Amino acid sequence: SGTTPPAPSPAPPPARRPRVAIVANVMPPYRLHAHRRIARELREAEVFTLLTHGEGDQPWSRGDAPELNVVEFGPADALLSTPKVSRREWAKGGRLCRWLDEQRADAVLLCGYDDAARLRVLLWCKARGVPVFLWTDGNIASDHARGLKLLAKHAYLQPVLRAFDVLMPSGTLGARLLRRYGGSPAKMIFWPLEPDYAAIRAVTAADAAAMRARFGLREDRRRVLCCSRLVAHKKVDHAVRA
């Protein structure tokens, strides 16, 4: 009697969740909802979104999406790489690698493979044994490389595609593009981009009638809807001709 009972043992610290880094250039709506779904459904991991090009000439609104854990690695360079920006991109890749080191990333999902920053991140992953995934919406219909350009593209892409642990094309034409340049079908899983399904389901017959009235559209016509920025490389003129 009279003795002090032992103090209770401190609670163990919470287990660290695996950290998954998604490296993208910008966050347009079609990627936003796919990222949000990953964060929502991959509950056993912490998901971070690393943006390499900020918003720049594409001021997309992400709204309130704290689950994406967005980290900006601007400045907002042009999205299409040129030799002039390659040195800056390589330096940007160094900043990405330092972040991945400090945060002890357990897996990296690269959106794209065609700039110096992504190449540097890929090399970092291979050197440290970190699984690295390629997520791309490129497809064979837009691949027009011929002659020396085709040979150079093969020489670059074959070792790059072999370095990825998993290849994630958005559709069958994307898979054909990866196979053309040496991507192994055994490594491929389809990973399409997606819209905000809730926004589509929320459209009512009254909303559709109001839109027809606004633009003077006849109700008995079928229509094709093309959603993109009005810039040359989106090929909106192809949709018009079709």
Side-chain angles (χ1 to χ4, degrees):
S1 64
T3 59
T4 303
S9 301
R16 176 188 178 277
R17 290 189 294 162
R19 290 178 173 170
V20 178
I22 305 175
V23 181
N25 46 25
V26 294
M27 186 61 75
Y30 59 80
R31 186 174 286 139
L32 170 65
H33 303 297
H35 283 222
R36 296 188 77 167
R37 183 174 181 180
I38 293 170
R40 183 172 67 248
E41 297 185 10
L42 197 64
R43 294 185 179 276
E44 64 270 24
E46 262 188 298
V47 178
F48 293 85
T49 300
L50 313 184
L51 296 183
T52 58
H53 288 70
E55 301 304 330
D57 61 345
Q58 301 184 35
W60 306 113
S61 173
R62 293 194 294 271
D64 183 21
E67 71 275 19
L68 299 182
N69 294 311
V70 174
V71 185
E72 301 272 3
F73 284 87
D77 289 319
L79 291 182
L80 300 179
S81 293
T82 64
K84 183 177 179 180
V85 301
S86 290
R87 289 191 298 274
R88 290 204 303 272
E89 290 297 312
W90 183 260
K92 186 183 296 182
R95 297 198 299 275
L96 285 160
C97 293
R98 285 193 293 274
W99 187 95
L100 295 169
D101 251 332
E102 292 166 0
Q103 298 297 322
R104 293 183 295 153
D106 297 285
V108 174
L109 194 160
L110 277 178
C111 298
Y113 49 73
D114 57 351
D115 66 41
R118 280 157 179 72
L119 178 60
R120 190 165 181 176
V121 170
L122 176 61
L123 294 172
W124 178 92
C125 290
K126 302 314 292 183
R128 286 158 179 75
V130 174
V132 57
F133 303 72
L134 171 64
W135 184 13
T136 174
D137 59 355
N139 70 75
I140 201 165
S142 60
D143 182 39
H144 305 298
R146 298 291 183 272
L148 291 176
K149 186 176 180 181
L150 180 62
L151 292 175
K153 194 170 182 179
H154 267 289
Y156 171 72
L157 279 183
Q158 283 183 343
V160 166
L161 294 179
R162 281 198 299 266
F164 283 98
D165 296 286
V166 177
L167 303 173
M168 300 161 60
S170 293
T172 55
L173 294 183
R176 285 174 57 189
L177 176 70
L178 296 179
R179 289 200 302 271
R180 171 179 284 180
Y181 293 102
S184 169
K187 288 184 175 183
M188 292 185 197
I189 59 172
F190 289 113
W191 197 274
L193 298 163
E194 61 181 46
D196 182 352
Y197 298 114
I200 295 172
R201 287 192 294 266
V203 175
T204 66
D207 294 327
M211 186 63 68
R212 286 196 299 270
R214 178 182 174 188
F215 292 103
L217 304 176
R218 285 169 40 191
E219 189 173 356
D220 60 347
R221 290 290 304 277
R222 291 185 177 183
R223 298 176 181 86
V224 173
L225 178 64
C226 179
C227 298
S228 77
R229 289 178 295 126
L230 294 179
V231 294
H233 68 270
K234 292 298 182 181
K235 307 294 186 186
V236 180
D237 54 319
H238 288 202
V240 173
R241 286 200 297 273

